[in-house]
Amino acid sequence: MTRRSRRALPATLTALVLLAASALVAVCAIQLTLGERPLLPYDSLVGSLHDTTWSAREVAVAGGVIVAIGLLLLLVAVVPGKARTAALDEHTAVSVRGLRNALRSAAQVDGVESAAVKVRRRRVRAVVRTRRAVVEGLGDTVRTALENRVGEFALARPPQVVVRVKAPRSTS
């Protein structure tokens, strides 16, 4: 069970472009029906399109742009998004955000001022900051705490834990 991110941005942009084009056509049709001058000059637009042949350069460029946009949208739809969950077993999962927050709180051992945790498919990276001058053993302590917390989650594929300690003046 791996939930993937939604494709909200491309879908929203496509919908807005289609909505704008539909609204423009509807406004022009209503203006023509009422006998008013349309927003887009219908006669000159139709005249220029009627004079254009299929072998014209403008038609080829417009077709290429439309094909490129279509292929881009197809690629966005087909390529899997970023996983939003980490599998516990084949039927249950935990959100990556929740896992990251739990690991960030587990990294707050004695001597750690702040912790930043990144959860990936195969690796958990933690960068902890401390004000200690001597940081010997702090990285191992944080790694052990993180590995214990990962073990509590019982993930289907436990990630490797990597810890980096940042200190103002490190002597080790």
Side-chain angles (χ1 to χ4, degrees), residues 73-156:
L73 289 173
L74 183 66
L75 184 69
V76 166
V78 172
V79 172
K82 194 174 173 182
R84 297 171 49 194
T85 59
L88 299 175
D89 58 32
E90 63 183 64
H91 299 294
T92 57
V94 63
S95 73
V96 172
R97 181 180 292 170
L99 180 61
R100 182 184 65 229
N101 291 340
L103 293 175
R104 186 181 312 130
S105 68
Q108 297 288 341
V109 298
D110 187 35
V112 172
E113 184 178 309
S114 67
V117 177
K118 289 185 181 180
V119 177
R120 299 286 182 244
R121 180 180 226 159
R122 296 183 182 142
R123 182 171 292 148
V124 171
R125 287 189 181 170
V127 177
V128 295
R129 295 185 186 276
T130 183
R131 291 185 187 238
R132 290 182 180 179
V134 179
V135 293
E136 286 182 31
L138 184 61
D140 294 332
T141 305
V142 172
R143 183 178 301 106
T144 302
L146 290 175
E147 287 172 348
N148 288 340
R149 184 62 60 96
V150 167
E152 290 173 5
F153 276 95
L155 296 171

Side-chain angles (χ1 to χ4, degrees), residues 155-171:
L155 296 171
R157 292 184 213 137
Q160 174 190 4
V161 177
V162 177
V163 176
R164 184 172 160 209
V165 179
K166 288 189 174 183
R169 295 178 305 263
S170 180
T171 60

